[in-house]
Amino acid sequence: MGEKRTDLLRGTLDLLILKALSLEPLHGVGISRRITQITKGAFQVSFGSLFPSLHRMEEKGWVEAEWRSSENNRRAKYYRLTSSGRAQLKVEEREWNQVVKIMTAAVESA
Amino acid sequence: MNRKGDTMSGRIVSVFRNLLRKNTVEQALDDELEASVELLTEEKMNDGLSHPQARREALIELGGVEQVKEEVRSIRAGHLLEDFAKDLRYAFRTLAKSPGFTAVAVLTLALGIGANTALFSVVNGVLLNPLRYAEPDRLMALYSRFPNYDRGSISYPNFLDWVHENRSFSALAAYRPDDLTLTGRGEPERVSAEMVSASFFPLLGVQPVLGRTLLPEEDQIGARPVVLIGGGLWKRKFGSSPDVLEQSLTLNDVVYTIVGVIPADFRYTGINFQQSDVYTPIGQWNDPTFRNRRAGMGTFAVGRLKPGVTYEQAKSDLEALGRHLAEQYPDVDKDTGITLVPLKQAVVGDIRPTLLVLMAAVGFVLLIACVNVANLSLARSTGRTHEFAIRLALGAGQGRMVRQLLTESLLLALAGGGLGLLLASWGLQAALKALPQALPRAEEVQLDGRVLLFTLAASVLAGVFFGLAPALKTSRTDLQETLKEGGRGLSGVRHRAQRVFVVAEMALALVLLAGAGLMIRSLAKLWRIDPGFDPHNVLTFLISFPSRTASPEVVRATWRQLHDSLNAVPGVQAASLDASSIPMASESDLPFWLEGQPKPSSQAEMKITLFYIVEPDYLNAMKIPLERGRFLSPHDDEHSPPVVVIDESFARIHFGGQDPIGKHVNFAILDVTAEIVGVVGHVKQFGLDEGQAPGLEAQCYFPIVQFPDQFIPLLARRVAVVARTAGSPLAQIESIRHALGQINSQSVMYQTKAMDGIVADSLATRRFSMVLLGTFAALALIMSCVGIYGVISYLASQRTHEIGIRMALGAERWNVLRMVLGEGTKLALVGVAIGLVAAFGLTRLMANMLFGVSAHDPLSFAGVAGLLILVALAACYIPARRAMKVNPIVALHCE
């Protein structure tokens, strides 16, 4: 049971990261801030989950990383969606919408 | 050309980067986290916090840098492991799909790795492993040094002075073999025996399984006769019973008390030492000759350095000691000294360079095996180009592809290594059994942990070596070209690589063949050498007499009786007793001076001659040619003036052009002056490749019955016999044994050997090297010919289409044959040429293994070059014939 729940959460986190990156490349802290922003402060992603997810997504080839200067002239590792990352975002969005529909229907039928 | 070189080196760099990937990942992760902390700190400082406070808050928000790193790491590692498992499964599947390739590759590698494993286990057991004693590095062998020989035996009085006067050793022990017959416990039995100092076993750190070792007070004249027994005798005679202590053992009519049992696996390898049934205290022996400072009596010594004393310190200590003894006993010890050799070096001897040459040779075999398998996988990967191109097109990284191909190679190499290990253990047993005398410490050669580690390392290295080149080439595949070519594969580059591989194989094989050829020529020369006697159909053995005290008259009578009954045995043509040196088996030497010359003031200034104490029939038994005068006759007996017969070397060295007959030789120790009555041919005492003991060339023969009375007890315990037989010597053993039993039921016949076997044993080490080098060269020959066959077949099959066109256009069949054969010949010739140059440089290293052949012997070089070219041509002939038989219509339809 617990495992299922983590999977769901991890899937959610992946979707949020992909979404956060869909506008522009961001560094780790930026992604965290962006997620807080687009969820209107509802989600505070811990770095302990963020970085492992980012690295896993890099291994899968969804994101690419490069070192760049930040707006304040600090060097930071920026993540950028790859084409397969964009495709994955589409897939996850579609799946999420389906889950939402199904769950909504299920909850309201009662 | 240049551009190609650049990409190649670039690729190698990227592979190394992949191998070093783990560290790069770690570093990047550190950097990323540090940057994040700084970003967060800055953010918080903008909110008005001080720098330290901001940084602390940043760290808290990050949630512990180490935990984050650990999380990321586990993801990365899991990924690698997952890839590896995938690669492994994939490798298994692809290899299983081509069983022919897999079988040939595994077998080739098994031969290469197996040969290396076997030889490494020899090197490991003989050279690398420490001796199996406590603190073996502090053990030293000691010898007497004489002007002509630096590893001579030690006289017991000198040894006792060494013990008392040295300052470097915590203990010294002397030992010498003894001849003892055990009676009173069943059939009389000749037991192997060593006399040892009380300190011998404690010094080596050997614990008795039962009882104790000898006590210093038992190592004295007049002490109670006590004996230690070996584990073998304990089991054989006492059923390993624990109440053997204090039981009595009758040896040569003396009743000894058993005080301890030495472990059955105790080994000590030293001159004149053998694992024995009984060990008696050497200090109890009161024989006057043994107690004479002039006589070594086959005694040698071993010592343990005091802690902290170096070899050099001990050596200079002994030098001083030797000088002191020379001053004290000028007539005996002048110009003599003490030789000190670390025990391991004394045991291993001069086998080291031989083993290193063999190790290098066997390394070449593995190299050839690798090249061969690389070639095979290259040919095979041509057929897989399409597969690789598709995988690349589907997004596989090039590094990933290399890793996957390397996994395949490693799998093959490990399978080869496993099979090789089996081959090695089987081959080793066979080799050691066939030639047990070839190696010191042969019993310590085994497949231990270090050997297994070596095999693993060799397998992995081989896997990377033969896997890397094809893997790199394959991953460089040009996608578009390949996919367009419709799966027919690339040609140019890959074919050149295959040609280079074949040339390399040919060159390596030629070097090995040259080495083996030189070894074979050396042995052929050695076998043709005349040992100075005829070893065929001669039996030698020893006879022990249990009698303890016997008057010289009784002993002489026994000898005469023995001689008569031996010569009466049907099938024995001539038999003679031999009480000292036996050709290629044992030697005794004596100092002498010639009558008419001034008597030397010290023993060191005297000349030395090998000494054979024999009977008149010796000449016929051994078929040694008589050159001048006469041999010993039955009339030379104890009542007539002493006579001696010398060999041609004695005559040449000490008389030059003069006639030696009628001259007198004075044997100082024996106190005998004998007249020279004849000259016989020289006998190769030290083996066919004689030359190991320069200064011991002169030989002389002395009649056994004329041996002085006071020394007869020394010869009374045992005597050797040489007997020329009508047929096979070993077939006569039983009738001779029967005849002996009739004279003395207590005497025992032992160490029965055919003389030609002894001659063969004297070449055991060289034969061992020859057999191994020959085997390696044969493997190399077979592998390289399989290699050239494979490549030529492959190239010819690639050209089937072209051949079809040529033939359709009217080319003769023999043109095709010549074309394909020419291709092979070209490769073989280039390989042979390079090999000849390499061999010319490398065979110098084996110069000390050769005999009578130059390391650059043109005949051997030309012979093996011709052989290799012939065999290579034969290997190419098969595909050439196939190409010649190509049916143009079928060939053209193929497309």
Side-chain angles (χ1 to χ4, degrees):
Chain A
M1 265 324 265
E3 207 171 288
K4 268 265 161 358
R5 222 174 69 115
T6 344
D7 270 358
L8 182 64
L9 285 178
R10 187 184 292 157
T12 318
L13 181 59
D14 284 358
L15 175 53
L16 285 172
I17 294 174
L18 291 171
K19 192 75 193 171
L21 287 173
S22 64
L23 284 177
E24 56 172 340
L26 291 167
H27 49 64
V29 175
I31 294 171
S32 166
R33 296 293 176 256
R34 177 65 52 84
I35 289 176
T36 312
Q37 189 192 343
I38 60 180
T39 59
K40 304 197 170 57
F43 273 41
Q44 300 264 336
V45 186
S46 83
F47 289 101
S49 328
L50 178 66
F51 281 114
S53 288
L54 276 173
H55 280 261
R56 192 176 50 241
M57 289 161 81
E58 192 185 356
E59 287 280 344
K60 287 183 176 167
W62 296 346
V63 298
E64 276 176 351
E66 71 173 327
W67 284 87
R68 279 207 256 152
S69 292
S70 76
E71 54 273 31
N72 304 334
N73 255 340
R74 284 196 174 281
R75 271 174 54 73
K77 194 177 174 190
Y78 275 79
Y79 292 87
R80 187 172 61 82
L81 277 194
T82 63
S83 53
S84 80
R86 289 193 187 282
Q88 184 65 24
L89 177 59
K90 291 251 156 44
V91 171
E92 299 224 350
E93 280 176 348
R94 206 172 44 239
E95 280 178 1
W96 177 256
N97 284 333
Q98 272 179 338
V99 169
V100 170
K101 260 185 221 154
I102 293 164
M103 292 303 289
T104 312
V107 171
E108 288 179 353
S109 73
Chain B
M1 273 314 276
N2 241 341
R3 208 184 55 80
K4 207 159 271 169
D6 285 350
T7 38
M8 192 67 186
S9 62
R11 182 144 325 269
I12 288 171
V13 168
S14 88
V15 167
F16 275 106
R17 204 182 301 137
N18 266 326
L19 292 175
L20 298 171
R21 190 161 168 266
K22 189 167 185 294
N23 281 330
T24 341
V25 168
E26 281 289 299
Q27 188 57 48
L29 186 54
D30 283 348
D31 291 349
E32 180 176 16
L33 292 178
E34 182 53 35
S36 301
V37 170
E38 278 172 19
L39 282 168
L40 286 169
T41 309
E42 199 170 316
E43 202 179 272
K44 293 185 195 304
M45 277 169 76
N46 288 343
D47 290 348
L49 291 179
S50 70
H51 183 271
Q53 212 175 350
R55 189 172 168 88
R56 202 172 61 234
E57 297 253 317
L59 286 172
I60 292 171
E61 186 177 346
L62 204 62
V65 174
E66 274 312 311
Q67 282 94 317
V68 175
K69 275 202 223 168
E70 199 47 54
E71 285 276 327
V72 174
R73 253 186 236 131
S74 74
I75 281 173
R76 294 278 185 176
H79 204 76
L80 281 177
L81 214 64
E82 206 179 299
D83 278 357
F84 180 66
K86 245 186 256 167
D87 286 349
L88 209 58
R89 270 200 307 275
Y90 188 77
F92 263 116
R93 247 190 350 238
T94 32
L95 289 179
K97 259 192 284 180
S98 38
F101 163 79
T102 307
V104 171
V106 168
L107 197 66
T108 307
L109 288 168
L111 288 173
I113 297 174
N116 273 273
T117 300
L119 203 68
F120 179 75
S121 63
V122 170
V123 170
N124 183 45
V126 176
L127 295 184
L128 299 183
N129 278 344
L131 299 173
R132 294 183 180 174
Y133 308 115
E135 298 185 62
D137 291 343
R138 283 165 52 206
L139 294 173
M140 300 280 148
L142 294 92
Y143 310 86
S144 279
R145 190 181 66 229
F146 300 105
N148 65 332
Y149 191 50
D150 59 4
R151 292 199 184 183
S153 62
I154 308 160
S155 81
Y156 195 64
N158 269 347
F159 169 77
L160 292 180
D161 285 339
W162 296 2
V163 171
H164 296 130
E165 291 184 23
N166 89 80
R167 279 168 294 152
S168 312
F169 292 88
S170 55
L172 284 177
Y175 59 85
R176 72 177 292 277
D178 197 5
D179 295 287
L180 294 175
T181 303
L182 169 65
T183 48
R185 289 191 182 267
E187 286 281 293
E189 183 182 339
R190 193 266 171 183
V191 291
S192 51
E194 285 283 335
M195 300 178 171
V196 296
S197 296
S199 55
F200 183 78
F201 290 108
L203 177 159
L204 293 176
V206 174
Q207 297 289 333
V209 265
L210 204 64
R212 55 171 176 82
T213 55
L214 303 172
L215 303 175
E217 56 266 32
E218 289 166 343
D219 197 12
Q220 312 276 349
I221 294 174
R224 175 176 79 127
V226 291
V227 65
L228 302 173
I229 62 174
L233 186 78
W234 185 37
K235 188 168 177 206
R236 199 163 71 238
K237 287 287 176 189
F238 301 94
S240 301
S241 149
D243 55 8
V244 66
L245 296 180
E246 294 303 316
Q247 287 200 33
S248 65
L249 210 55
T250 308
L251 300 165
N252 284 25
D253 293 345
V254 179
V255 179
Y256 288 81
T257 306
I258 299 172
V259 294
V261 178
I262 295 303
D265 63 356
F266 164 69
R267 296 271 185 288
Y268 177 81
T269 314
I271 301 182
N272 265 357
F273 194 96
Q274 55 175 345
Q275 286 65 250
S276 291
D277 295 322
V278 298
Y279 303 92
T280 56
I282 194 169
Q284 291 197 6
W285 200 30
N286 60 0
D287 180 272
T289 315
F290 179 64
R291 297 281 168 176
N292 182 337
R293 199 174 286 273
R294 293 172 187 277
M297 301 291 290
T299 309
F300 291 91
V302 57
R304 178 176 288 279
L305 291 179
K306 281 178 185 163
V309 174
T310 65
Y311 169 77
E312 281 73 24
Q313 288 167 338
K315 204 171 152 73
S316 64
D317 177 27
L318 292 182
E319 284 303 322
L321 207 165
R323 276 197 301 277
H324 179 228
L325 286 179
E327 283 164 22
Q328 216 174 345
Y329 308 99
D331 55 330
V332 188
D333 285 341
K334 190 169 166 228
D335 293 331
T336 69
I338 305 165
T339 303
L340 185 69
V341 181
L343 186 60
K344 185 165 168 193
Q345 196 181 321
V347 167
V348 172
D350 46 11
I351 193 85
R352 186 189 193 85
T354 304
L355 285 182
L356 293 185
V357 166
L358 289 175
M359 200 69 219
V362 84
F364 274 31
V365 175
L366 184 55
L367 223 54
I368 294 179
C370 285
V371 171
N372 228 352
V373 176
N375 229 340
L376 277 175
S377 19
L378 210 53
R380 180 162 158 272
S381 69
T382 311
R384 292 170 74 187
T385 316
H386 205 60
E387 171 200 337
F388 297 139
I390 289 175
R391 292 183 61 192
L392 279 173
L394 290 180
Q398 299 212 325
R400 239 354 236 95
M401 296 275 291
V402 171
R403 249 193 293 159
Q404 197 258 306
L405 287 171
L406 275 182
T407 309
E408 225 173 277
S409 315
L410 281 179
L411 194 64
L412 278 180
L414 289 176
L419 189 60
L421 208 57
L422 287 181
L423 289 180
S425 74
W426 173 79
L428 253 187
Q429 277 171 6
L432 291 176
K433 205 177 266 179
L435 286 167
Q437 301 87 348
L439 282 176
R441 303 181 77 189
E443 70 280 351
E444 290 181 41
V445 172
Q446 54 185 343
L447 301 176
D448 62 10
R450 186 148 36 163
V451 175
L452 296 181
L453 211 62
F454 170 87
T455 309
L456 185 67
S459 309
V460 170
L461 273 180
V464 172
F465 178 82
F466 78 74
L468 209 51
L472 289 182
K473 277 216 176 310
T474 304
S475 68
R476 199 166 29 153
T477 304
D478 182 333
L479 273 185
Q480 304 209 333
E481 277 306 307
T482 310
L483 292 177
K484 261 193 284 183
E485 257 190 273
R488 248 196 299 148
L490 284 175
S491 28
V493 186
R494 184 160 294 124
H495 293 175
R496 204 187 61 208
Q498 284 175 326
R499 289 196 180 95
V500 169
F501 281 160
V502 165
V503 167
E505 271 184 310
M506 286 283 144
L508 288 168
L510 187 101
V511 174
L512 285 181
L513 283 171
L518 290 171
M519 231 27 233
I520 291 170
R521 287 256 296 153
S522 297
L523 272 153
K525 289 225 160 161
L526 282 168
W527 281 122
R528 272 203 302 273
I529 281 180
D530 176 11
F533 61 96
D534 176 8
H536 303 295
N537 292 340
V538 175
L539 188 71
T540 77
F541 53 90
L542 294 164
I543 303 171
S544 73
F545 302 98
S547 56
R548 179 160 56 114
T549 47
S551 70
E553 290 75 28
V554 173
V555 173
R556 286 198 184 95
T558 315
W559 285 342
R560 290 199 165 98
Q561 192 184 11
L562 194 59
H563 172 261
D564 292 346
S565 50
L566 281 171
N567 280 288
V569 173
V572 172
Q573 293 176 335
S576 162
L577 304 186
D578 178 349
S580 54
S581 306
I582 301 167
M584 300 187 199
S586 69
E587 46 266 341
S588 353
D589 53 74
L590 277 178
F592 69 92
W593 51 282
L594 296 176
E595 202 87 329
Q597 295 179 354
K599 184 181 179 209
S601 61
S602 76
Q603 193 163 319
E605 287 164 28
M606 292 185 196
K607 313 282 191 266
I608 304 264
T609 175
L610 282 170
F611 202 68
Y612 300 83
I613 306 172
V614 298
E615 293 181 297
D617 280 320
Y618 190 77
L619 200 69
N620 292 330
M622 297 290 276
K623 287 200 180 157
I624 298 170
L626 178 65
E627 304 205 330
R628 293 166 85 172
R630 66 171 177 89
F631 197 66
L632 311 174
S633 94
H635 302 295
D636 302 318
D637 60 16
E638 61 269 41
H639 309 296
S640 65
V643 295
V644 66
V645 170
I646 62 174
D647 82 325
E648 54 182 328
S649 297
F650 194 120
R652 189 187 68 244
I653 295 167
H654 301 297
F655 293 99
Q658 283 184 311
D659 185 3
I661 294 187
K663 299 281 194 321
H664 287 81
V665 184
N666 193 308
F667 296 104
I669 294 181
L670 301 181
D671 197 17
V672 165
T673 303
E675 183 190 344
I676 298 173
V677 294
V679 180
V680 296
H682 180 73
V683 164
K684 301 262 181 196
Q685 169 69 32
F686 299 102
L688 294 176
D689 52 351
E690 193 174 85
Q692 290 158 357
L696 270 182
E697 270 179 276
Q699 301 170 342
C700 71
Y701 298 84
F702 196 82
I704 191 167
V705 288
Q706 285 192 344
F707 214 62
D709 282 1
Q710 70 266 38
F711 297 107
I712 290 273
L714 285 178
L715 308 186
R717 286 182 175 190
R718 70 154 186 196
V719 70
V721 175
V722 295
R724 177 161 297 278
T725 54
S728 157
L730 297 176
Q732 297 297 331
I733 295 175
E734 276 324 302
S735 48
I736 292 174
R737 197 187 298 279
H738 180 75
L740 290 177
Q742 305 241 300
I743 338 174
N744 186 341
S745 61
Q746 301 282 74
S747 68
V748 180
M749 170 182 177
Y750 63 102
Q751 276 184 26
T752 315
K753 285 179 190 159
M755 199 71 203
D756 40 15
I758 296 180
V759 174
D761 284 352
S762 80
L763 298 179
T765 305
R766 280 184 211 270
R767 277 163 64 213
F768 181 74
S769 313
M770 183 198 75
V771 168
L772 286 187
L773 266 183
T775 311
F776 299 159
L779 278 178
L781 187 65
I782 294 170
M783 284 185 194
S784 55
C785 287
V786 169
I788 199 171
Y789 164 80
V791 168
I792 296 299
S793 304
Y794 173 74
L795 293 181
S797 74
Q798 293 288 97
R799 290 170 77 180
T800 311
H801 189 65
E802 173 201 335
I803 292 169
I805 294 175
R806 279 171 187 262
M807 291 178 82
L809 291 179
E812 294 287 337
R813 290 187 179 276
W814 66 268
N815 283 119
V816 174
L817 184 77
R818 208 181 51 184
M819 184 179 84
V820 178
L821 267 187
E823 175 107 47
T825 316
K826 216 165 58 192
L827 294 180
L829 284 179
V830 174
V832 164
I834 296 174
L836 278 175
V837 173
F840 202 77
L842 288 172
T843 48
R844 269 184 306 125
L845 302 177
M846 58 183 291
N848 66 333
M849 295 161 71
L850 302 179
F851 181 90
V853 189
S854 140
H856 298 146
D857 178 44
L859 193 64
S860 307
F861 275 52
V864 296
L867 174 72
L868 187 56
I869 292 172
L870 268 184
V871 178
L873 279 184
C876 295
Y877 181 69
I878 305 169
R881 256 181 75 89
R882 210 183 293 138
M884 188 176 82
K885 290 194 176 147
V886 161
N887 183 338
I889 300 176
V890 176
L892 292 176
H893 267 292
C894 261
E895 285 298 302

Short mmCIF file of all heavy atoms in Angstrom, two decimals, chain B residues 395-418:
data_model
loop_
_atom_site.label_atom_id
_atom_site.label_comp_id
_atom_site.label_asym_id
_atom_site.label_seq_id
_atom_site.Cartn_x
_atom_site.Cartn_y
_atom_site.Cartn_z
N GLY B 395 18.53 5.49 -30.47
CA GLY B 395 18.89 6.37 -29.37
C GLY B 395 19.84 5.79 -28.33
O GLY B 395 20.02 6.38 -27.27
N ALA B 396 20.44 4.63 -28.60
CA ALA B 396 21.42 4.10 -27.66
C ALA B 396 22.66 4.97 -27.72
O ALA B 396 23.11 5.33 -28.82
CB ALA B 396 21.77 2.67 -28.01
N GLY B 397 23.23 5.34 -26.56
CA GLY B 397 24.45 6.13 -26.55
C GLY B 397 25.61 5.27 -27.01
O GLY B 397 25.58 4.04 -26.88
N GLN B 398 26.67 5.90 -27.55
CA GLN B 398 27.80 5.09 -28.01
C GLN B 398 28.50 4.43 -26.82
O GLN B 398 28.93 3.30 -26.91
CB GLN B 398 28.76 5.98 -28.78
CG GLN B 398 28.08 6.58 -30.01
CD GLN B 398 29.04 6.78 -31.15
OE1 GLN B 398 30.21 7.09 -30.93
NE2 GLN B 398 28.56 6.58 -32.35
N GLY B 399 28.59 5.18 -25.72
CA GLY B 399 29.21 4.61 -24.52
C GLY B 399 28.45 3.37 -24.07
O GLY B 399 29.03 2.34 -23.71
N ARG B 400 27.14 3.46 -24.14
CA ARG B 400 26.29 2.35 -23.76
C ARG B 400 26.59 1.14 -24.63
O ARG B 400 26.68 0.01 -24.15
CB ARG B 400 24.87 2.77 -24.02
CG ARG B 400 23.78 2.83 -23.03
CD ARG B 400 23.94 2.37 -21.66
NE ARG B 400 22.90 1.39 -21.42
CZ ARG B 400 23.06 0.11 -21.55
NH1 ARG B 400 24.23 -0.36 -21.84
NH2 ARG B 400 22.08 -0.72 -21.33
N MET B 401 26.76 1.38 -25.94
CA MET B 401 27.04 0.29 -26.88
C MET B 401 28.38 -0.38 -26.54
O MET B 401 28.51 -1.59 -26.53
CB MET B 401 27.11 0.83 -28.31
CG MET B 401 25.82 1.41 -28.81
SD MET B 401 24.77 0.15 -29.49
CE MET B 401 25.69 -0.29 -30.94
N VAL B 402 29.40 0.48 -26.27
CA VAL B 402 30.70 -0.08 -25.93
C VAL B 402 30.59 -0.92 -24.67
O VAL B 402 31.12 -2.03 -24.60
CB VAL B 402 31.74 1.06 -25.73
CG1 VAL B 402 33.03 0.51 -25.16
CG2 VAL B 402 32.00 1.77 -27.03
N ARG B 403 29.83 -0.39 -23.70
CA ARG B 403 29.70 -1.14 -22.45
C ARG B 403 29.04 -2.49 -22.70
O ARG B 403 29.42 -3.50 -22.15
CB ARG B 403 28.88 -0.33 -21.43
CG ARG B 403 29.69 0.17 -20.27
CD ARG B 403 28.80 0.67 -19.16
NE ARG B 403 28.09 1.87 -19.57
CZ ARG B 403 26.97 2.29 -18.98
NH1 ARG B 403 26.44 1.60 -17.99
NH2 ARG B 403 26.37 3.38 -19.39
N GLN B 404 28.04 -2.46 -23.55
CA GLN B 404 27.31 -3.70 -23.80
C GLN B 404 28.21 -4.73 -24.50
O GLN B 404 28.23 -5.90 -24.14
CB GLN B 404 26.08 -3.40 -24.65
CG GLN B 404 25.05 -4.50 -24.64
CD GLN B 404 25.13 -5.31 -25.88
OE1 GLN B 404 25.05 -4.75 -26.96
NE2 GLN B 404 25.28 -6.60 -25.75
N LEU B 405 29.00 -4.26 -25.48
CA LEU B 405 29.90 -5.19 -26.17
C LEU B 405 30.98 -5.70 -25.24
O LEU B 405 31.38 -6.87 -25.31
CB LEU B 405 30.52 -4.51 -27.39
CG LEU B 405 29.52 -4.33 -28.53
CD1 LEU B 405 30.11 -3.46 -29.63
CD2 LEU B 405 29.12 -5.68 -29.10
N LEU B 406 31.46 -4.83 -24.35
CA LEU B 406 32.48 -5.26 -23.39
C LEU B 406 31.90 -6.31 -22.45
O LEU B 406 32.59 -7.25 -22.05
CB LEU B 406 33.01 -4.07 -22.60
CG LEU B 406 34.14 -3.31 -23.27
CD1 LEU B 406 34.62 -2.19 -22.36
CD2 LEU B 406 35.30 -4.25 -23.59
N THR B 407 30.64 -6.13 -22.08
CA THR B 407 30.01 -7.14 -21.21
C THR B 407 30.05 -8.49 -21.90
O THR B 407 30.35 -9.52 -21.28
CB THR B 407 28.56 -6.76 -20.90
OG1 THR B 407 28.53 -5.42 -20.44
CG2 THR B 407 27.96 -7.68 -19.88
N GLU B 408 29.78 -8.47 -23.19
CA GLU B 408 29.80 -9.72 -23.95
C GLU B 408 31.21 -10.34 -23.92
O GLU B 408 31.37 -11.53 -23.66
CB GLU B 408 29.42 -9.40 -25.40
CG GLU B 408 28.43 -10.37 -26.00
CD GLU B 408 28.00 -9.87 -27.37
OE1 GLU B 408 27.09 -9.03 -27.40
OE2 GLU B 408 28.56 -10.31 -28.37
N SER B 409 32.24 -9.50 -24.14
CA SER B 409 33.61 -10.00 -24.13
C SER B 409 33.99 -10.54 -22.76
O SER B 409 34.62 -11.59 -22.65
CB SER B 409 34.59 -8.88 -24.47
OG SER B 409 34.14 -8.15 -25.55
N LEU B 410 33.59 -9.81 -21.72
CA LEU B 410 33.94 -10.26 -20.38
C LEU B 410 33.29 -11.60 -20.07
O LEU B 410 33.90 -12.47 -19.46
CB LEU B 410 33.51 -9.22 -19.34
CG LEU B 410 34.46 -8.04 -19.23
CD1 LEU B 410 33.96 -7.04 -18.20
CD2 LEU B 410 35.85 -8.54 -18.81
N LEU B 411 32.06 -11.74 -20.51
CA LEU B 411 31.37 -13.00 -20.29
C LEU B 411 32.12 -14.15 -20.95
O LEU B 411 32.37 -15.20 -20.35
CB LEU B 411 29.94 -12.89 -20.84
CG LEU B 411 28.97 -13.97 -20.40
CD1 LEU B 411 28.75 -13.88 -18.91
CD2 LEU B 411 27.64 -13.80 -21.13
N LEU B 412 32.53 -13.92 -22.19
CA LEU B 412 33.33 -14.93 -22.91
C LEU B 412 34.63 -15.21 -22.16
O LEU B 412 35.01 -16.37 -21.96
CB LEU B 412 33.68 -14.41 -24.31
CG LEU B 412 32.64 -14.55 -25.40
CD1 LEU B 412 33.19 -13.97 -26.69
CD2 LEU B 412 32.28 -16.02 -25.60
N ALA B 413 35.31 -14.13 -21.75
CA ALA B 413 36.62 -14.29 -21.11
C ALA B 413 36.49 -15.04 -19.80
O ALA B 413 37.31 -15.89 -19.48
CB ALA B 413 37.25 -12.93 -20.88
N LEU B 414 35.43 -14.75 -19.05
CA LEU B 414 35.27 -15.43 -17.76
C LEU B 414 34.94 -16.90 -17.98
O LEU B 414 35.44 -17.77 -17.26
CB LEU B 414 34.19 -14.75 -16.92
CG LEU B 414 34.62 -13.38 -16.38
CD1 LEU B 414 33.48 -12.70 -15.65
CD2 LEU B 414 35.83 -13.52 -15.47
N ALA B 415 34.12 -17.19 -18.98
CA ALA B 415 33.84 -18.59 -19.30
C ALA B 415 35.13 -19.29 -19.69
O ALA B 415 35.44 -20.39 -19.24
CB ALA B 415 32.82 -18.68 -20.42
N GLY B 416 35.94 -18.60 -20.52
CA GLY B 416 37.24 -19.14 -20.93
C GLY B 416 38.13 -19.36 -19.72
O GLY B 416 38.81 -20.37 -19.60
N GLY B 417 38.12 -18.38 -18.80
CA GLY B 417 38.95 -18.49 -17.61
C GLY B 417 38.54 -19.68 -16.76
O GLY B 417 39.39 -20.42 -16.26
N GLY B 418 37.24 -19.89 -16.61
CA GLY B 418 36.76 -21.02 -15.82
C GLY B 418 37.21 -22.34 -16.41
O GLY B 418 37.77 -23.20 -15.71
#
